[in-house]
Structures are given as structure tokens and as C-alpha cells.
């Protein structure tokens, strides 16, 4: 029995889309049609990748072939479909180009997988400064990586382990009572069976956690060291640690878990990075620039204590330095000068 659980990042899904297109030349069996139906409805990303590749050969009727073969279903209302056999269309020559292109793409794409032990797969993914990335996993979970972030993902038949190495990520976790979804960041862990939460590493021994749906169990190093011997028999959300629910936020380090409850507006502000925005509510400029600097290679220098304490509020587009400078100058009387291409000096206006 094959116990491999395959999950995908964007490159994996592109590979799979190429493989499905390549099979159309010979035609799909009824079993393959059902497998294709399941694959294409795993996530919106699967459908987008499939049609992105198909649209390259739109003039060769590949899109029509897809629509004839498989009318896409609503992923929230999956139903059993009866597939009709394809009409005998003369598109073999056209699909040959698809095969050649897909083969070339596969050869030039580096895929991360474990070949020695097929019972599990380990994947690493990261983003550059200013980049966002979405990872779709085979269990239906989705990870949104923020700027300058890195995760290692280890899935098997018995566990779902994620290591947030640096940065920030939002986890939308598919429900699975038998395989808890455990995120480790520094000295702390967050355990869920089906929920959504945001984790940001603020320093090597501290993280910031925001629960946006359901509930999670949080353990710092002190909790981990005191795990009872019977812990394996406990429900994943029982035992040592702090149970947090939607709307709660915590600063977690080795010694303590400091919680607070946020309003819905505050939750949306914390998650604004997913739409490429940063929201400030009167923070000192020095503090706001720490967040802004995560999204750019530009270095900011504050000329005096007065400008450091100047409080700023508003919505800013992450990475839009010119827009930021315009807003600071016109709304907060903060002027700037460029020391060089990578350094901007901010000071109080007259």
C-alpha cells in the first residue's frame, strides 16, 4: 500500500499541471478522470496553474479540450460527475508542443522531495525581502509566507510538523484530529487540529501569535520541558500550555505567555500584510520603521530624538518607499534626504 502523502508548493503544482496536460494526448481512463477531478479541486491554485499552462497554447484549442474533458466544479460543493468520452479530435500535433514544453519546464525546475524514505516528504520554502508566497498542502492546509520568511514542512501519515525558521506566516489548517498540525518557532510550539493563526518570530526566543479562527494550544520551553509521560494519550489540544481562541493575541517567550484580546478591527490590521498593506495606529516613527524595514532593503536613519518619537497613523503600501516619504512629509511634517541609494535620513520639518 502506498503511504506517500504528497503536498505541493507552487512549483510542485506546476509540475503536476504539466503532467496532466501531457496525459490528454492519449486520453484519460475513467479512473484518471476521477483522479483529475480530485486534483483540480484541491485548491484555487491548482486550477490557476492548469489554465495558465493551457492558455499558452490557447490557439491550439487546449483550453477547449480541457473544458470538454472536465467542467470544473465548485470546490465548496463537490459532486460526483459523469464524464463523457472525448470526441475524436485531431490535436495530437498541437499537444506534442505541450509535451515538449512541459518536459523542458520539468527538466529546468528543481523539486524538493525525499527519495530515500517515501513515508514522508520534507519541503523548504522561503521568500525574499518584499515577497509574499502561498503554499498549498495536500491535506488542504494553506500557508501564507510574509516577507523574508522561511519554513520547513514535514508531513507523514502520523504527523504534520512545520518549522518556522524566520519571519512570519499565516496558517490556515485543514481539520485532522489524527494528525495535529504543530508549528515550531524558536523555543515555542503552536498546536492545532483545524484552525487559522498567524505566527511572527520577533527574536530567536520569542514569537507573536494571533489566532484568527478556532483554537490552538501554545507551549513555551517551560511547558515543553514539563510534558507528562502520559501526554501521548492526550487530545492534541489538552495538556500543558495555554489554550487560545480566535481573537486572542500573545507574546510568547521561554518564561511566559502574555495574552490579550483584540477587536475585529485590530485583527484585520495585523493581517493587512496579506493584502500588501501596513497599518499604524499612532506608533512612534522609530517603531513603525522597524516594521516597514522588513519589506525593503532601504535603511532609514532618524536624525533626532524628536523625529523618533513622532507618532504616525494610517495605511501604507508595503515596499512603496516613495509613497511612504510623501505621506510622512505631507501629513506628519517629516522631511527626508538621501545619503546614498540605500540610505534615507528622516528629520523633523521646520
Amino acid at each position: 500500500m502506498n503511504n506517500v502523502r504528497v503536498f505541493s508548493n507552487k512549483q510542485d503544482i506546476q509540475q503536476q499541471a504539466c503532467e496532466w496536460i501531457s496525459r490528454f494526448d492519449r486520453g484519460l481512463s475513467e479512473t484518471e478522470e476521477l483522479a483529475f477531478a480530485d486534483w483540480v479541486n484541491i485548491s484555487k491554485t491548482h486550477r490557476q496553474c492548469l489554465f495558465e499552462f493551457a492558455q499558452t497554447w490557447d490557439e491550439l484549442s487546449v483550453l477547449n479540450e480541457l473544458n470538454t474533458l472536465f467542467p470544473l466544479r465548485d470546490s465548496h460543493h463537490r459532486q460526483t460527475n459523469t464524464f463523457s468520452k472525448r470526441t475524436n479530435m485531431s490535436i495530437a500535433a498541437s499537444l506534442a508542443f505541450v509535451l515538449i514544453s512541459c518536459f523542458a519546464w520539468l527538466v529546468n525546475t528543481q523539486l524538493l522531495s525525499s527519495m530515500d524514505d517515501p513515508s514522508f516528504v520534507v519541503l523548504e520554502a522561503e521568500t525574499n525581502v518584499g515577497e509574499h508566497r502561498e503554499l498549498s498542502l495536500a491535506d488542504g492546509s494553506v500557508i501564507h509566507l510574509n516577507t523574508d520568511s522561511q519554513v520547513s514542512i514535514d508531513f507523514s501519515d502520523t504527523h504534520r510538523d512545520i518549522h518556522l525558521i524566520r519571519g512570519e506566516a499565516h496558517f490556515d489548517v485543514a481539520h485532522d484530529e489524527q494528525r495535529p498540525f504543530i508549528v515550531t518557532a524558536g523555543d515555542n510550539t503552536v498546536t492545532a487540529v483545524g484552525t487559522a493563526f498567524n505566527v511572527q518570530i520577533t527574536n530567536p526566543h520569542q514569537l507573536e501569535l494571533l489566532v484568527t479562527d478556532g483554537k490552538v494550544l501554545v507551549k513555551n520551553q517551560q511547558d515543553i520541558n514539563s510534558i507528562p509521560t502520559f501526554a501521548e494519550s492526550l487530545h492534541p489540544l489538552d495538556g500543558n500550555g495555554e489554550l487560545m481562541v480566535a481573537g486572542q493575541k500573545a507574546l510568547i517567550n521561554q518564561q511566559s505567555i502574555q495574552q490579550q484580546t483584540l477587536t475585529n478591527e485590530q485583527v484585520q490590521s495585523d493581517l493587512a500584510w496579506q493584502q500588501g498593506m501596513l497599518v499604524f495606529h499612532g506608533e512612534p516613527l522609530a517603531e513603525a520603521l522597524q516594521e516597514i524595514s522588513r519589506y525593503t532593503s532601504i535603511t532609514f536613519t532618524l536624525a533626532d530624538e524628536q523625529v523618533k518619537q513622532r507618532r504616525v497613523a494610517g495605511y501604507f503600501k508595503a515596499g512603496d518607499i516613495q509613497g511612504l516619504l510623501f505621506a510622512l512629509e505631507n501629513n506628519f511634517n517629516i522631511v527626508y534626504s538621501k545619503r546614498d541609494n540605500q540610505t534615507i535620513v528622516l528629520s523633523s520639518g521646520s
Side-chain angles (χ1 to χ4, degrees):
M1 179 179 177
N2 187 354
N3 63 350
V4 177
R5 288 184 181 268
V6 180
F7 61 97
S8 306
N9 66 359
K10 185 67 174 291
Q11 288 182 330
D12 296 327
I13 297 171
Q14 289 173 330
Q15 178 200 21
Q16 294 159 14
C18 265
E19 291 173 345
W20 279 116
I21 291 175
S22 69
R23 295 173 190 173
F24 295 160
D25 185 33
R26 61 166 170 77
L28 301 185
S29 66
E30 291 185 4
T31 300
E32 287 175 323
E33 289 175 350
L34 292 172
F36 176 65
D38 289 335
W39 179 87
V40 83
N41 280 286
I42 289 176
S43 74
K44 180 181 178 181
T45 304
H46 285 70
R47 296 188 287 276
Q48 287 177 337
C49 286
L50 184 71
F51 278 90
E52 283 172 3
F53 276 92
Q55 284 167 353
T56 305
W57 291 272
D58 190 21
E59 70 278 9
L60 300 179
S61 301
V62 177
L63 285 176
N64 289 336
E65 183 70 8
L66 281 175
N67 289 329
T68 300
L69 176 65
F70 182 66
L72 296 181
R73 302 168 297 174
D74 186 337
S75 60
H76 297 290
H77 299 86
R78 300 183 62 172
Q79 302 173 353
T80 302
N81 285 275
T82 301
F83 296 93
S84 60
K85 292 295 184 179
R86 295 188 303 156
T87 57
N88 186 15
M89 301 175 64
S90 178
I91 62 168
S94 299
L95 286 174
F97 288 100
V98 179
L99 292 170
I100 293 171
S101 178
C102 285
F103 177 77
W105 182 87
L106 293 172
V107 168
N108 288 284
T109 300
Q110 294 182 348
L111 300 175
L112 299 172
S113 62
S114 173
M115 301 301 295
D116 297 325
D117 185 353
S119 64
F120 67 90
V121 178
V122 177
L123 168 73
E124 287 193 359
E126 62 182 333
T127 54
N128 297 318
V129 173
E131 179 187 8
H132 290 172
R133 186 174 180 184
E134 179 180 298
L135 304 175
S136 298
L137 310 185
D139 67 335
S141 300
V142 177
I143 301 176
H144 298 269
L145 279 183
N146 200 359
T147 175
D148 193 23
S149 301
Q150 182 179 5
V151 292
S152 174
I153 306 164
D154 180 356
F155 270 27
S156 80
D157 287 336
T158 59
H159 66 261
R160 297 182 291 174
D161 292 341
I162 312 293
H163 181 198
L164 181 60
I165 300 169
R166 71 173 192 273
E168 180 176 16
H170 184 269
F171 302 90
D172 191 348
V173 181
H175 188 85
D176 189 339
E177 289 276 356
Q178 304 306 312
R179 293 193 304 157
F181 191 101
I182 301 176
V183 176
T184 301
D187 305 310
N188 314 288
T189 66
V190 181
T191 301
V193 294
T195 183
F197 55 94
N198 198 83
V199 177
Q200 179 184 351
I201 296 177
T202 54
N203 68 52
H205 303 290
Q206 181 173 278
L207 67 83
E208 184 180 271
L209 169 69
L210 170 63
V211 183
T212 56
D213 183 57
K215 55 188 177 180
V216 301
L217 181 66
V218 184
K219 297 181 182 180
N220 59 13
Q221 190 62 53
Q222 184 174 334
D223 295 320
I224 294 172
N225 291 338
S226 60
I227 293 176
T229 56
F230 58 86
E232 291 186 1
S233 63
L234 295 175
H235 185 276
L237 299 185
D238 292 336
N240 290 3
E242 295 288 337
L243 193 64
M244 294 178 56
V245 299
Q248 291 186 323
K249 183 178 181 178
L251 195 63
I252 304 160
N253 55 41
Q254 291 177 306
Q255 289 77 36
S256 66
I257 300 176
Q258 304 172 28
Q259 296 187 43
Q260 61 176 311
T261 299
L262 303 186
T263 65
N264 183 63
E265 181 181 0
Q266 290 172 321
V267 170
Q268 295 307 313
S269 294
D270 273 19
L271 297 180
W273 64 264
Q274 295 184 33
Q275 283 73 49
M277 300 298 294
L278 301 176
V279 184
F280 299 108
H281 300 279
E283 292 88 338
L285 180 59
E287 181 180 327
L289 286 177
Q290 290 181 359
E291 181 68 12
I292 291 169
S293 295
R294 296 173 58 204
Y295 298 84
T296 178
S297 59
I298 297 293
T299 299
F300 294 94
T301 298
L302 299 178
D304 52 71
E305 189 64 30
Q306 183 180 359
V307 75
K308 289 181 182 179
Q309 298 305 319
R310 185 72 56 85
R311 294 185 176 274
V312 296
Y315 287 77
F316 299 88
K317 185 176 181 181
D320 181 8
I321 301 304
Q322 284 304 124
L324 169 69
L325 296 176
F326 179 86
L328 291 177
E329 188 171 33
N330 287 274
N331 297 300
F332 302 98
N333 195 29
I334 297 172
V335 298
Y336 70 91
S337 61
K338 293 186 177 181
R339 180 175 297 171
D340 52 50
N341 289 336
Q342 292 296 311
T343 306
I344 295 176
V345 179
L346 299 175
S347 57
S348 300
S350 57

